[in-house]
PDB file of all heavy atoms in Angstrom:
ATOM      1  N   LEU A   1       0.793  -1.227   0.000  1.00  0.00           N
ATOM      2  CA  LEU A   1       0.000   0.000   0.000  1.00  0.00           C
ATOM      3  C   LEU A   1       0.826   1.278   0.000  1.00  0.00           C
ATOM      4  O   LEU A   1       0.295   2.354  -0.264  1.00  0.00           O
ATOM      5  CB  LEU A   1      -0.913   0.017   1.232  1.00  0.00           C
ATOM      6  CG  LEU A   1      -2.045  -1.011   1.287  1.00  0.00           C
ATOM      7  CD1 LEU A   1      -2.896  -0.774   2.520  1.00  0.00           C
ATOM      8  CD2 LEU A   1      -2.903  -0.959   0.027  1.00  0.00           C
ATOM      9  N   GLU A   2       2.114   1.179   0.295  1.00  0.00           N
ATOM     10  CA  GLU A   2       2.933   2.377   0.406  1.00  0.00           C
ATOM     11  C   GLU A   2       3.107   3.055  -0.947  1.00  0.00           C
ATOM     12  O   GLU A   2       3.382   2.408  -1.962  1.00  0.00           O
ATOM     13  CB  GLU A   2       4.306   2.024   0.980  1.00  0.00           C
ATOM     14  CG  GLU A   2       5.172   3.238   1.283  1.00  0.00           C
ATOM     15  CD  GLU A   2       6.496   2.862   1.927  1.00  0.00           C
ATOM     16  OE1 GLU A   2       6.754   1.652   2.099  1.00  0.00           O
ATOM     17  OE2 GLU A   2       7.273   3.779   2.243  1.00  0.00           O
ATOM     18  N   ASP A   3       2.922   4.368  -0.963  1.00  0.00           N
ATOM     19  CA  ASP A   3       3.132   5.185  -2.162  1.00  0.00           C
ATOM     20  C   ASP A   3       2.308   4.697  -3.348  1.00  0.00           C
ATOM     21  O   ASP A   3       2.816   4.504  -4.455  1.00  0.00           O
ATOM     22  CB  ASP A   3       4.619   5.218  -2.536  1.00  0.00           C
ATOM     23  CG  ASP A   3       5.471   5.879  -1.475  1.00  0.00           C
ATOM     24  OD1 ASP A   3       4.964   6.795  -0.800  1.00  0.00           O
ATOM     25  OD2 ASP A   3       6.626   5.479  -1.299  1.00  0.00           O
ATOM     26  N   ARG A   4       1.016   4.526  -3.131  1.00  0.00           N
ATOM     27  CA  ARG A   4       0.143   4.132  -4.226  1.00  0.00           C
ATOM     28  C   ARG A   4      -1.255   4.679  -4.011  1.00  0.00           C
ATOM     29  O   ARG A   4      -1.614   5.092  -2.895  1.00  0.00           O
ATOM     30  CB  ARG A   4       0.084   2.606  -4.364  1.00  0.00           C
ATOM     31  CG  ARG A   4      -0.745   1.922  -3.281  1.00  0.00           C
ATOM     32  CD  ARG A   4      -0.985   0.439  -3.577  1.00  0.00           C
ATOM     33  NE  ARG A   4      -1.541   0.223  -4.893  1.00  0.00           N
ATOM     34  CZ  ARG A   4      -1.049  -0.660  -5.771  1.00  0.00           C
ATOM     35  NH1 ARG A   4      -0.015  -1.410  -5.449  1.00  0.00           N
ATOM     36  NH2 ARG A   4      -1.615  -0.796  -6.955  1.00  0.00           N
ATOM     37  N   VAL A   5      -2.037   4.678  -5.082  1.00  0.00           N
ATOM     38  CA  VAL A   5      -3.464   4.967  -4.999  1.00  0.00           C
ATOM     39  C   VAL A   5      -4.214   3.673  -5.327  1.00  0.00           C
ATOM     40  O   VAL A   5      -3.610   2.618  -5.531  1.00  0.00           O
ATOM     41  CB  VAL A   5      -3.877   6.109  -5.956  1.00  0.00           C
ATOM     42  CG1 VAL A   5      -3.263   7.424  -5.511  1.00  0.00           C
ATOM     43  CG2 VAL A   5      -3.498   5.786  -7.404  1.00  0.00           C
ATOM     44  N   ALA A   6      -5.538   3.747  -5.384  1.00  0.00           N
ATOM     45  CA  ALA A   6      -6.371   2.541  -5.485  1.00  0.00           C
ATOM     46  C   ALA A   6      -6.511   2.050  -6.925  1.00  0.00           C
ATOM     47  O   ALA A   6      -7.611   1.819  -7.429  1.00  0.00           O
ATOM     48  CB  ALA A   6      -7.739   2.814  -4.875  1.00  0.00           C
ATOM     49  N   VAL A   7      -5.374   1.896  -7.593  1.00  0.00           N
ATOM     50  CA  VAL A   7      -5.310   1.362  -8.952  1.00  0.00           C
ATOM     51  C   VAL A   7      -4.362   0.176  -8.933  1.00  0.00           C
ATOM     52  O   VAL A   7      -3.205   0.317  -8.521  1.00  0.00           O
ATOM     53  CB  VAL A   7      -4.802   2.424  -9.952  1.00  0.00           C
ATOM     54  CG1 VAL A   7      -4.633   1.819 -11.342  1.00  0.00           C
ATOM     55  CG2 VAL A   7      -5.756   3.617 -10.001  1.00  0.00           C
ATOM     56  N   VAL A   8      -4.835  -0.984  -9.360  1.00  0.00           N
ATOM     57  CA  VAL A   8      -4.035  -2.211  -9.337  1.00  0.00           C
ATOM     58  C   VAL A   8      -4.087  -2.861 -10.716  1.00  0.00           C
ATOM     59  O   VAL A   8      -5.168  -3.085 -11.271  1.00  0.00           O
ATOM     60  CB  VAL A   8      -4.554  -3.213  -8.290  1.00  0.00           C
ATOM     61  CG1 VAL A   8      -3.694  -4.475  -8.284  1.00  0.00           C
ATOM     62  CG2 VAL A   8      -4.588  -2.575  -6.899  1.00  0.00           C
ATOM     63  N   SER A   9      -2.914  -3.178 -11.262  1.00  0.00           N
ATOM     64  CA  SER A   9      -2.838  -3.864 -12.551  1.00  0.00           C
ATOM     65  C   SER A   9      -2.334  -5.290 -12.351  1.00  0.00           C
ATOM     66  O   SER A   9      -1.353  -5.508 -11.644  1.00  0.00           O
ATOM     67  CB  SER A   9      -1.887  -3.128 -13.502  1.00  0.00           C
ATOM     68  OG  SER A   9      -2.591  -2.274 -14.379  1.00  0.00           O
ATOM     69  N   LEU A  10      -3.011  -6.232 -12.992  1.00  0.00           N
ATOM     70  CA  LEU A  10      -2.644  -7.639 -12.898  1.00  0.00           C
ATOM     71  C   LEU A  10      -2.230  -8.174 -14.258  1.00  0.00           C
ATOM     72  O   LEU A  10      -2.855  -7.874 -15.277  1.00  0.00           O
ATOM     73  CB  LEU A  10      -3.820  -8.465 -12.368  1.00  0.00           C
ATOM     74  CG  LEU A  10      -4.394  -8.083 -11.000  1.00  0.00           C
ATOM     75  CD1 LEU A  10      -5.509  -9.051 -10.623  1.00  0.00           C
ATOM     76  CD2 LEU A  10      -3.312  -8.041  -9.936  1.00  0.00           C
ATOM     77  N   ASP A  11      -1.181  -8.994 -14.237  1.00  0.00           N
ATOM     78  CA  ASP A  11      -0.743  -9.715 -15.421  1.00  0.00           C
ATOM     79  C   ASP A  11      -0.991 -11.200 -15.166  1.00  0.00           C
ATOM     80  O   ASP A  11      -0.347 -11.810 -14.309  1.00  0.00           O
ATOM     81  CB  ASP A  11       0.746  -9.450 -15.672  1.00  0.00           C
ATOM     82  CG  ASP A  11       1.235 -10.057 -16.977  1.00  0.00           C
ATOM     83  OD1 ASP A  11       0.395 -10.521 -17.776  1.00  0.00           O
ATOM     84  OD2 ASP A  11       2.468 -10.070 -17.198  1.00  0.00           O
ATOM     85  N   PHE A  12      -1.960 -11.762 -15.885  1.00  0.00           N
ATOM     86  CA  PHE A  12      -2.300 -13.174 -15.734  1.00  0.00           C
ATOM     87  C   PHE A  12      -1.306 -13.975 -16.570  1.00  0.00           C
ATOM     88  O   PHE A  12      -1.515 -14.210 -17.759  1.00  0.00           O
ATOM     89  CB  PHE A  12      -3.740 -13.423 -16.179  1.00  0.00           C
ATOM     90  CG  PHE A  12      -4.763 -12.830 -15.257  1.00  0.00           C
ATOM     91  CD1 PHE A  12      -5.030 -11.465 -15.268  1.00  0.00           C
ATOM     92  CD2 PHE A  12      -5.463 -13.629 -14.363  1.00  0.00           C
ATOM     93  CE1 PHE A  12      -5.972 -10.913 -14.406  1.00  0.00           C
ATOM     94  CE2 PHE A  12      -6.410 -13.091 -13.503  1.00  0.00           C
ATOM     95  CZ  PHE A  12      -6.659 -11.727 -13.526  1.00  0.00           C
ATOM     96  N   GLU A  13      -0.214 -14.398 -15.937  1.00  0.00           N
ATOM     97  CA  GLU A  13       0.927 -14.926 -16.667  1.00  0.00           C
ATOM     98  C   GLU A  13       0.623 -16.222 -17.412  1.00  0.00           C
ATOM     99  O   GLU A  13       1.285 -16.532 -18.401  1.00  0.00           O
ATOM    100  CB  GLU A  13       2.101 -15.112 -15.707  1.00  0.00           C
ATOM    101  CG  GLU A  13       2.596 -13.789 -15.113  1.00  0.00           C
ATOM    102  CD  GLU A  13       3.766 -13.949 -14.169  1.00  0.00           C
ATOM    103  OE1 GLU A  13       3.896 -15.031 -13.569  1.00  0.00           O
ATOM    104  OE2 GLU A  13       4.552 -12.989 -14.031  1.00  0.00           O
ATOM    105  N   LYS A  14      -0.351 -16.987 -16.968  1.00  0.00           N
ATOM    106  CA  LYS A  14      -0.698 -18.248 -17.627  1.00  0.00           C
ATOM    107  C   LYS A  14      -1.983 -18.135 -18.451  1.00  0.00           C
ATOM    108  O   LYS A  14      -2.462 -19.130 -18.996  1.00  0.00           O
ATOM    109  CB  LYS A  14      -0.860 -19.363 -16.582  1.00  0.00           C
ATOM    110  CG  LYS A  14       0.402 -19.644 -15.772  1.00  0.00           C
ATOM    111  CD  LYS A  14       1.546 -20.117 -16.674  1.00  0.00           C
ATOM    112  CE  LYS A  14       2.785 -20.453 -15.838  1.00  0.00           C
ATOM    113  NZ  LYS A  14       3.910 -20.892 -16.704  1.00  0.00           N
ATOM    114  N   GLU A  15      -2.540 -16.942 -18.502  1.00  0.00           N
ATOM    115  CA  GLU A  15      -3.783 -16.718 -19.229  1.00  0.00           C
ATOM    116  C   GLU A  15      -3.579 -15.569 -20.212  1.00  0.00           C
ATOM    117  O   GLU A  15      -2.594 -14.825 -20.138  1.00  0.00           O
ATOM    118  CB  GLU A  15      -4.927 -16.362 -18.268  1.00  0.00           C
ATOM    119  CG  GLU A  15      -5.021 -17.216 -17.021  1.00  0.00           C
ATOM    120  CD  GLU A  15      -5.466 -18.632 -17.293  1.00  0.00           C
ATOM    121  OE1 GLU A  15      -6.160 -18.830 -18.313  1.00  0.00           O
ATOM    122  OE2 GLU A  15      -5.121 -19.529 -16.502  1.00  0.00           O
ATOM    123  N   ASP A  16      -4.502 -15.411 -21.117  1.00  0.00           N
ATOM    124  CA  ASP A  16      -4.531 -14.238 -21.992  1.00  0.00           C
ATOM    125  C   ASP A  16      -5.269 -13.135 -21.251  1.00  0.00           C
ATOM    126  O   ASP A  16      -6.432 -13.291 -20.871  1.00  0.00           O
ATOM    127  CB  ASP A  16      -5.238 -14.590 -23.305  1.00  0.00           C
ATOM    128  CG  ASP A  16      -5.174 -13.458 -24.317  1.00  0.00           C
ATOM    129  OD1 ASP A  16      -5.603 -12.340 -23.978  1.00  0.00           O
ATOM    130  OD2 ASP A  16      -4.703 -13.706 -25.439  1.00  0.00           O
ATOM    131  N   ASN A  17      -4.596 -12.008 -21.021  1.00  0.00           N
ATOM    132  CA  ASN A  17      -5.215 -10.921 -20.264  1.00  0.00           C
ATOM    133  C   ASN A  17      -6.513 -10.436 -20.895  1.00  0.00           C
ATOM    134  O   ASN A  17      -7.482 -10.121 -20.197  1.00  0.00           O
ATOM    135  CB  ASN A  17      -4.235  -9.746 -20.136  1.00  0.00           C
ATOM    136  CG  ASN A  17      -3.103 -10.028 -19.171  1.00  0.00           C
ATOM    137  OD1 ASN A  17      -3.251 -10.804 -18.230  1.00  0.00           O
ATOM    138  ND2 ASN A  17      -1.957  -9.410 -19.403  1.00  0.00           N
ATOM    139  N   ALA A  18      -6.539 -10.388 -22.218  1.00  0.00           N
ATOM    140  CA  ALA A  18      -7.742  -9.909 -22.908  1.00  0.00           C
ATOM    141  C   ALA A  18      -8.907 -10.855 -22.683  1.00  0.00           C
ATOM    142  O   ALA A  18     -10.037 -10.431 -22.410  1.00  0.00           O
ATOM    143  CB  ALA A  18      -7.459  -9.756 -24.401  1.00  0.00           C
ATOM    144  N   VAL A  19      -8.636 -12.159 -22.789  1.00  0.00           N
ATOM    145  CA  VAL A  19      -9.693 -13.144 -22.570  1.00  0.00           C
ATOM    146  C   VAL A  19     -10.176 -13.088 -21.126  1.00  0.00           C
ATOM    147  O   VAL A  19     -11.384 -13.150 -20.850  1.00  0.00           O
ATOM    148  CB  VAL A  19      -9.190 -14.568 -22.914  1.00  0.00           C
ATOM    149  CG1 VAL A  19     -10.209 -15.613 -22.468  1.00  0.00           C
ATOM    150  CG2 VAL A  19      -8.932 -14.689 -24.403  1.00  0.00           C
ATOM    151  N   THR A  20      -9.242 -12.962 -20.203  1.00  0.00           N
ATOM    152  CA  THR A  20      -9.606 -12.923 -18.783  1.00  0.00           C
ATOM    153  C   THR A  20     -10.531 -11.744 -18.485  1.00  0.00           C
ATOM    154  O   THR A  20     -11.565 -11.892 -17.817  1.00  0.00           O
ATOM    155  CB  THR A  20      -8.347 -12.834 -17.909  1.00  0.00           C
ATOM    156  OG1 THR A  20      -7.523 -13.977 -18.155  1.00  0.00           O
ATOM    157  CG2 THR A  20      -8.712 -12.781 -16.435  1.00  0.00           C
ATOM    158  N   ALA A  21     -10.172 -10.545 -18.971  1.00  0.00           N
ATOM    159  CA  ALA A  21     -11.006  -9.368 -18.735  1.00  0.00           C
ATOM    160  C   ALA A  21     -12.370  -9.531 -19.396  1.00  0.00           C
ATOM    161  O   ALA A  21     -13.406  -9.171 -18.814  1.00  0.00           O
ATOM    162  CB  ALA A  21     -10.310  -8.116 -19.260  1.00  0.00           C
ATOM    163  N   PHE A  22     -12.377 -10.091 -20.592  1.00  0.00           N
ATOM    164  CA  PHE A  22     -13.629 -10.296 -21.316  1.00  0.00           C
ATOM    165  C   PHE A  22     -14.542 -11.249 -20.548  1.00  0.00           C
ATOM    166  O   PHE A  22     -15.741 -11.001 -20.377  1.00  0.00           O
ATOM    167  CB  PHE A  22     -13.310 -10.850 -22.705  1.00  0.00           C
ATOM    168  CG  PHE A  22     -14.511 -11.041 -23.589  1.00  0.00           C
ATOM    169  CD1 PHE A  22     -15.244  -9.955 -24.031  1.00  0.00           C
ATOM    170  CD2 PHE A  22     -14.899 -12.311 -23.983  1.00  0.00           C
ATOM    171  CE1 PHE A  22     -16.342 -10.128 -24.870  1.00  0.00           C
ATOM    172  CE2 PHE A  22     -15.995 -12.496 -24.811  1.00  0.00           C
ATOM    173  CZ  PHE A  22     -16.716 -11.406 -25.253  1.00  0.00           C
ATOM    174  N   GLU A  23     -13.981 -12.347 -20.050  1.00  0.00           N
ATOM    175  CA  GLU A  23     -14.788 -13.333 -19.339  1.00  0.00           C
ATOM    176  C   GLU A  23     -15.221 -12.818 -17.961  1.00  0.00           C
ATOM    177  O   GLU A  23     -16.312 -13.158 -17.493  1.00  0.00           O
ATOM    178  CB  GLU A  23     -14.016 -14.638 -19.211  1.00  0.00           C
ATOM    179  CG  GLU A  23     -13.821 -15.332 -20.553  1.00  0.00           C
ATOM    180  CD  GLU A  23     -13.164 -16.683 -20.423  1.00  0.00           C
ATOM    181  OE1 GLU A  23     -12.506 -16.933 -19.394  1.00  0.00           O
ATOM    182  OE2 GLU A  23     -13.304 -17.489 -21.360  1.00  0.00           O
ATOM    183  N   LEU A  24     -14.396 -12.011 -17.320  1.00  0.00           N
ATOM    184  CA  LEU A  24     -14.812 -11.416 -16.049  1.00  0.00           C
ATOM    185  C   LEU A  24     -16.081 -10.590 -16.237  1.00  0.00           C
ATOM    186  O   LEU A  24     -16.984 -10.617 -15.395  1.00  0.00           O
ATOM    187  CB  LEU A  24     -13.700 -10.533 -15.479  1.00  0.00           C
ATOM    188  CG  LEU A  24     -12.570 -11.224 -14.729  1.00  0.00           C
ATOM    189  CD1 LEU A  24     -11.462 -10.238 -14.381  1.00  0.00           C
ATOM    190  CD2 LEU A  24     -13.091 -11.893 -13.452  1.00  0.00           C
TER     191      LEU A  24
END
């Protein structure tokens, strides 16, 4: 939490990020 705001980026290393966001 130090030196950050409420924005979090995830890299789904074993998945396709685009597919993951679409399915979410």
Side-chain angles (χ1 to χ4, degrees):
L1 292 184
E2 187 177 2
D3 296 328
R4 74 170 307 130
V5 293
V7 175
V8 180
S9 263
L10 302 182
D11 186 10
F12 290 77
E13 296 181 333
K14 299 298 182 181
E15 315 290 334
D16 186 304
N17 287 332
V19 171
T20 300
F22 183 66
E23 292 185 339
L24 279 173

